[in-house]
Amino acid sequence: METEFYDQAFERQDYRAQPLSPGEYEACTFRNCDFSESPLVNVVFIDCTFSGCNFTLAKFKGTALRGVKFQDCKLLGLRFDECNSFNLSFTFERCTLTSSSFFGLKIKKTTFAHCQLRETDFTNADLTGSAFPHCDLLNAVFSNTVLEQADFRTAEHYLIDPERNKIKKAKFSVPGVLGLLGKYDIQIS
């Protein structure tokens, strides 16, 4: 039987040995909790905020994330593509998402602010209208990705092939636009 939690605060909990109870968590706040390598099975998060939490290698298979905010979290090696896709929506502020996967997800208008997205996979994702202010996208993978109207003006280290991605009306800064020319191995001075 699933349990419902509404507007509760969870602080400094260690869910590595004892995983979070299955259920629906709405408008809850999680501060400085450790979910690393923890299975989040049969869990629904609605309008929840995670602040300073560690999700390294957590299992998100079937997890529902609806209107979730991650702030100052460590989200290494996560498979967001295994989440429940119904109403999937989240924002990220000052998070480390290195080696995570958003493969094939429709996550339009998602904000990744001041995040480290190194080696993150966005293959086949729809990021229409998404924003990447002050993000580090070193070795992030964009292939067959919809990036229309996305904002990369203050992002850095990205390599995006305009021939393999949809970038209509995307926004880039003048020095950053060089990330669109990387495959041509040309020198610009």
Side-chain angles (χ1 to χ4, degrees):
M1 179 173 191
E2 290 190 7
T3 311
E4 292 184 11
F5 300 90
Y6 181 77
D7 194 25
Q8 291 188 26
F10 301 85
E11 294 195 38
R12 301 190 186 286
Q13 298 296 313
D14 188 341
Y15 295 110
R16 292 175 298 176
Q18 181 64 38
L20 184 69
S21 298
E24 185 173 293
Y25 296 79
E26 186 173 353
C28 292
T29 304
F30 295 83
R31 288 187 193 93
N32 302 309
C33 294
D34 193 346
F35 295 90
S36 56
E37 299 185 41
S38 178
L40 293 165
V41 181
N42 297 322
V43 180
V44 177
F45 295 110
I46 302 169
D47 299 325
C48 291
T49 300
F50 295 91
S51 181
C53 295
N54 181 1
F55 285 91
T56 300
L57 298 175
K59 311 294 186 276
F60 274 179
K61 194 164 184 88
T63 303
L65 301 171
R66 300 178 186 142
V68 172
K69 184 182 291 187
F70 293 97
Q71 300 170 319
D72 303 298
C73 290
K74 191 175 186 181
L75 303 136
L76 304 177
L78 293 188
R79 298 282 312 266
F80 288 95
D81 56 323
E82 292 184 345
C83 288
N84 181 327
S85 62
F86 180 72
N87 281 339
L88 181 66
S89 63
F90 33 59
T91 60
F92 301 91
E93 297 174 13
R94 299 173 307 277
C95 292
T96 301
L97 290 132
T98 300
S99 300
S100 290
S101 177
F102 294 90
F103 180 88
L105 292 178
K106 288 182 172 47
I107 48 173
K108 296 179 179 184
K109 298 184 179 179
T110 298
T111 299
F112 299 87
H114 299 271
C115 292
Q116 187 174 97
L117 295 156
R118 293 180 172 197
E119 300 176 6
T120 297
D121 186 6
F122 293 104
T123 301
N124 293 331
D126 185 346
L127 293 160
T128 301
S130 293
F132 297 86
H134 305 285
C135 287
D136 181 355
L137 291 155
L138 184 68
N139 296 323
V141 179
F142 295 95
S143 180
N144 197 34
T145 308
V146 180
L147 299 168
E148 295 176 348
Q149 302 172 21
D151 190 345
F152 290 92
R153 289 179 292 183
T154 57
E156 59 185 13
H157 303 131
Y158 55 83
L159 288 175
I160 299 170
D161 184 346
E163 295 173 16
R164 298 191 65 180
N165 297 283
K166 296 179 182 179
I167 61 168
K168 187 176 183 178
K169 296 191 179 181
K171 299 174 185 135
F172 301 93
S173 64
V174 173
V177 79
L178 299 177
L180 302 176
L181 304 172
K183 79 173 201 167
Y184 299 110
D185 195 24
I186 58 176
Q187 293 182 1
I188 298 172
S189 50

